[in-house]
Amino acid sequence: MRRLVDNDYLTMVVRLAVGVTFIYASYYKILDPAGFAKSIWYYHLLPGGLINITAVILPWVELICGLGLIFGVLYRGAAVLTTTMTVIFTVALVSALARGIDIDCGCFKVARSSSETVLDSLLFDIVLLILLWQLLVSRSRRWMLSRW
Amino acid sequence: MLLRQFVIIILVAAVAGVGLNLVSPNRIDFIGKYRSLSSGDGPIVPPTAEPGDPPFISIEVAELEHSNYQVVFIDARDAGEFVCGTIPGSVNIPFEYLPEGDLRPYIDSVLGGLPGDYHFIIFCSGEECDLSLHLGRTMQELGYTNLSIFFGGWREWVQFGLDVERRESCDG
């Protein structure tokens, strides 16, 4: 098991998969901050005054973390931050589900209609968390531009 | 070292995000104005509202107007949701299923030929739903001049315990 988790090729594939996912997730949010702000607002979890600034900065954190994972720069920080963000998104989704708020999660595009259900998004987050666990525990450091 | 990486990532993201937002044509205010979840203390205005949109009305105004026969409520959700429960007396114009082509004759027929300056109040599911806003804008373009949007919608109406009309019994 340990050998599998530390496998260089597996780790590289997971880095690419998670990195591309976060870059893709950031793309529409950077292009449409107003739409992303609305997605955040739907969750009713953040104070109103923090919504827009979060919508402006958070997509860039996703983009930088995605690039960091792929290129192996600021790697550890990127892996921990992506995991933290995914856990927070998952908790927010569960909280929305528990409160009966039927939202389009706004994960990969800004919310427009509920084409992407909360349950689909939850399932996706769980898969993402499994991949992130592999990145966090893997000792592979091959094909990285930086040692830290 | 981990903390230093966090700080670098967040600082770079903050500089990039704030910098782009200062010059982008899609920039937004850094501090937005948002109401909390429906409390009935004023109209809910979505962050995507623009100048020139039909006015947004609160639950109190919607309830008051509902008792006035000189207004028609328009439910912009799809027909399945409409028949499961809606504001009594509403008509259904499902925004996501509007027909192709000239919409004015279609909407006129749904509204029973009421004049374009008649007062119509448009709503959909609630705060997560944009259909009322989009239908309001579409109707404005078609020449309807006396529109309001009740953005709290079906959810706020139910939360406030007001009468509902159910044409079919539905699960959930």
Side-chain angles (χ1 to χ4, degrees), chain A residues 30-35 37-38 41-42 44 48-57 60-61 64-65 73-78 80-81 84 99-103 111-114 147-148, chain B residues 1-2 4-6 8-10 12-14 16-18 20-21 24 26-38 44-48 96 127-131 133-134 151 155:
Chain A
I30 289 173
L31 289 184
D32 185 5
K38 188 175 178 190
W41 180 64
Y42 285 158
H44 303 297
L50 293 179
I51 289 176
N52 280 14
I53 194 71
T54 305
V56 165
I57 294 174
W60 284 91
V61 176
I64 293 166
C65 286
V73 178
L74 299 169
Y75 178 77
R76 194 82 193 151
V80 174
L81 267 179
T84 308
R99 288 175 294 152
I101 302 176
D102 181 20
I103 46 176
R112 299 239 184 273
S113 64
S114 29
R147 297 306 299 172
W148 60 285
Chain B
M1 189 176 81
L2 192 60
R4 193 169 64 171
Q5 292 193 9
F6 285 168
I8 292 171
I9 290 172
I10 288 167
V12 173
V18 169
L20 180 73
N21 193 56
S24 165
N26 295 330
R27 65 180 163 270
I28 56 176
D29 293 338
F30 288 109
I31 307 292
K33 297 182 181 71
Y34 298 92
R35 280 181 75 250
S36 58
L37 188 63
S38 311
I44 298 171
V45 179
T48 43
E96 288 181 319
E127 290 147 278
E128 77 284 4
C129 171
D130 265 348
L131 301 176
L133 179 57
H134 294 311
F151 206 72
R155 179 172 300 115

Side-chain angles (χ1 to χ4, degrees), chain A residues 54-116:
Chain A
T54 305
V56 165
I57 294 174
L58 187 63
W60 284 91
V61 176
E62 292 181 328
L63 177 67
I64 293 166
C65 286
L67 292 171
L69 291 178
I70 291 173
F71 292 105
V73 178
L74 299 169
Y75 178 77
R76 194 82 193 151
V80 174
L81 267 179
T82 45
T83 307
T84 308
M85 285 189 287
T86 308
V87 168
I88 291 171
F89 297 155
T90 307
V91 169
L93 276 172
V94 171
S95 149
L97 199 62
R99 288 175 294 152
I101 302 176
D102 181 20
I103 46 176
D104 179 350
C105 80
C107 312
F108 295 101
K109 58 184 172 52
V110 296
R112 299 239 184 273
S113 64
S114 29
S115 55
E116 190 183 335

Side-chain angles (χ1 to χ4, degrees), chain B residues 41-170:
Chain B
D41 58 357
I44 298 171
V45 179
T48 43
E50 292 171 1
D53 282 338
F56 294 88
I57 61 170
S58 66
I59 179 73
E60 290 92 345
V61 175
E63 186 185 8
L64 191 68
E65 292 284 4
H66 189 257
S67 60
N68 173 2
Y69 291 109
Q70 299 302 310
V71 64
V72 168
F73 279 68
I74 300 174
D75 188 336
R77 299 173 301 161
D78 67 44
E81 292 172 292
F82 176 72
V83 296
C84 287
T86 190
I87 296 175
S90 301
V91 296
N92 184 213
I93 302 181
F95 180 76
E96 288 181 319
Y97 299 96
L98 288 176
E100 299 282 324
D102 189 4
L103 286 174
R104 180 76 198 226
Y106 164 74
I107 294 179
D108 276 347
S109 72
V110 175
L111 298 176
L114 289 168
D117 61 353
Y118 200 83
H119 189 193
F120 298 108
I121 296 177
I122 308 165
F123 69 97
C124 56
S125 303
E127 290 147 278
E128 77 284 4
C129 171
D130 265 348
L131 301 176
S132 55
L133 179 57
H134 294 311
L135 182 60
R137 287 173 179 167
T138 302
M139 288 181 66
Q140 241 179 357
E141 286 168 12
L142 293 170
Y144 294 91
T145 55
N146 192 7
L147 305 169
S148 302
I149 296 176
F150 168 41
F151 206 72
W154 171 242
R155 179 172 300 115
E156 194 174 37
W157 189 267
V158 172
Q159 274 177 355
F160 277 74
L162 303 177
D163 288 343
V164 300
E165 178 180 357
R166 297 187 195 278
R167 298 172 195 213
E168 285 180 14
S169 63
C170 307

